[in-house]
C-alpha cells in the first residue's frame, strides 16, 4: 500500500477523494488545495494524497524521483512506460479498495490527478468495471491512447470526467489535452472540458469550476 497524506473535512467521511500528484512531487503537493476547494455545505470528505514510488526517469538522465511511471521519451505517443502505468493502476485500485473497507462506497469515491497523476486517472478510469463517482484529470493526456478502445471496460464510461488544461502548457501541450478529451468522449465518457490561459499549473478559476463539478456529483448521489 502506498504511503499517503490524508485530510478529513468532518467526522465519519461519507466520500473519498484520491488525488495523484505530478512527476517529482509527492502527496503533499495538492494537500493545500483542500481549504480552497471544499464548500461548507458538502458532505464530510476524506482526501487521500498518495506518494508515488521512487523510480529512475529516463528523460531526466535516469535520476530517481517520485513518478507514477518512467518517462521514456518526450513524444507523447511513446512517453509512458506501460509496465509502470499498469503497476500504478494496481496501486490506485488498492487505495480504492481500502476506502471501500473504511465504509465509503465505490459510488462515493472520486479519483483525481495532475499531469502524470492525471494520466493514471484516465488509464484507471478506462479499466474500472464498477464506476467511481467521477474522474478528474488536470493538465494531462491519455497514455497508450491507441489501445484505449480495447482497454475500455463495460460501464467505465458511466464515470463523469472533469478535464482542464492550460493553453500555454510547455510540459503537456494543450493540443494533447484536447485530443485526449475528445478520445474519452468518443469512448462514451461525459467530459466537462475547461481551458485556461496558464502554463502547467492550476488556477483559482479552475478550482472554482472543479468545486462546482464536485458539488454536482454529491447532488447526483
Amino acid at each position: 500500500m502506498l504511503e499517503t497524506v490524508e485530510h478529513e473535512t468532518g467526522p465519519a467521511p461519507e466520500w473519498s477523494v484520491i488525488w495523484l500528484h505530478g512527476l517529482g512531487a509527492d502527496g503533499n503537493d495538492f494537500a493545500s488545495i483542500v481549504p480552497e476547494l471544499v464548500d461548507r455545505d458538502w458532505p464530510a470528505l476524506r482526501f487521500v494524497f498518495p506518494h508515488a514510488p521512487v523510480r529512475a526517469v529516463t528523460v531526466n538522465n535516469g535520476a530517481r524521483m517520485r513518478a507514477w511511471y518512467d518517462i521514456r521519451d518526450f513524444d507523447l505517443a511513446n512517453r509512458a512506460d506501460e509496465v509502470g502505468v499498469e503497476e500504478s493502476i494496481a496501486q490506485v485500485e488498492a487505495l480504492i479498495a481500502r476506502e471501500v473497507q473504511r465504509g465509503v462506497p465505490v459510488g462515493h469515491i472520486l479519483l483525481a490527478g495532475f499531469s502524470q497523476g492525471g494520466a493514471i486517472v484516465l488509464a484507471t478510469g478506462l479499466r474500472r468495471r464498477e464506476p467511481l463517482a467521477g474522474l478528474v484529470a488536470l493538465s494531462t493526456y491519455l497514455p497508450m491512447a491507441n489501445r484505449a478502445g480495447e482497454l475500455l471496460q463495460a460501464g467505465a464510461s458511466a464515470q463523469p470526467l472533469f478535464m482542464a488544461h492550460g493553453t500555454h502548457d510547455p510540459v503537456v501541450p494543450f493540443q494533447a489535452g484536447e485530443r485526449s478529451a475528445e478520445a474519452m468522449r468518443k469512448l462514451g465518457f461525459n467530459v466537462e472540458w475547461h481551458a485556461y490561459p496558464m502554463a502547467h499549473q492550476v488556477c483559482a478559476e479552475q478550482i472554482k469550476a472543479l468545486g462546482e463539478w464536485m458539488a454536482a456529483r454529491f447532488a447526483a448521489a
Side-chain angles (χ1 to χ4, degrees):
M1 186 70 66
L2 295 173
E3 293 183 6
T4 61
V5 175
E6 298 189 4
H7 292 276
E8 296 183 358
T9 65
E14 304 166 33
W15 288 72
S16 295
V17 182
I18 301 172
W19 197 306
L20 312 182
H21 62 76
L23 176 68
D26 65 19
N28 294 293
D29 198 35
F30 278 90
S32 61
I33 206 172
V34 173
E36 297 179 63
L37 179 64
V38 173
D39 188 281
R40 63 183 179 182
D41 295 326
W42 287 2
L45 308 174
R46 178 185 296 116
F47 283 86
V48 179
F49 300 98
H51 301 306
V54 174
R55 68 181 81 221
V57 177
T58 301
V59 297
N60 287 348
N61 297 316
R64 295 182 62 80
M65 62 189 66
R66 293 199 180 276
W68 297 106
Y69 51 85
D70 183 22
I71 298 178
R72 302 171 303 184
D73 195 302
F74 287 111
D75 174 47
L76 285 176
N78 302 302
R79 182 175 291 194
D81 159 42
E82 188 167 348
V83 172
V85 170
E86 296 293 342
E87 288 174 353
S88 287
I89 290 171
Q91 289 169 322
V92 169
E93 288 290 354
L95 290 172
I96 292 170
R98 186 176 68 173
E99 291 311 297
V100 173
Q101 291 171 354
R102 287 166 146 181
V104 179
V106 167
H108 281 197
I109 298 174
L110 294 163
L111 181 60
F114 174 80
S115 192
Q116 203 187 43
I120 296 300
V121 167
L122 295 177
T124 302
L126 286 177
R127 295 161 173 78
R128 283 295 302 176
R129 292 183 172 87
E130 189 176 1
L132 301 174
L135 308 170
V136 179
L138 309 177
S139 302
T140 194
Y141 68 102
L142 175 62
M144 291 98 71
N146 61 327
R147 295 183 52 220
E150 66 185 77
L151 296 170
L152 179 68
Q153 296 296 314
S157 61
Q159 300 167 111
L161 172 57
F162 180 98
M163 294 185 71
H165 215 106
T167 54
H168 311 308
D169 192 330
V171 178
V172 180
F174 177 73
Q175 292 76 12
E178 277 191 315
R179 287 195 299 269
S180 297
E182 184 56 31
M184 296 298 283
R185 284 196 186 98
K186 288 180 178 177
L187 292 169
F189 287 81
N190 179 11
V191 182
E192 182 172 320
W193 169 257
H194 293 264
Y196 299 95
M198 63 180 185
H200 196 63
Q201 62 192 98
V202 296
C203 64
E205 294 83 359
Q206 180 182 11
I207 294 171
K208 181 176 184 295
L210 176 57
E212 292 170 353
W213 180 88
M214 289 175 63
R217 306 284 74 75
F218 304 144

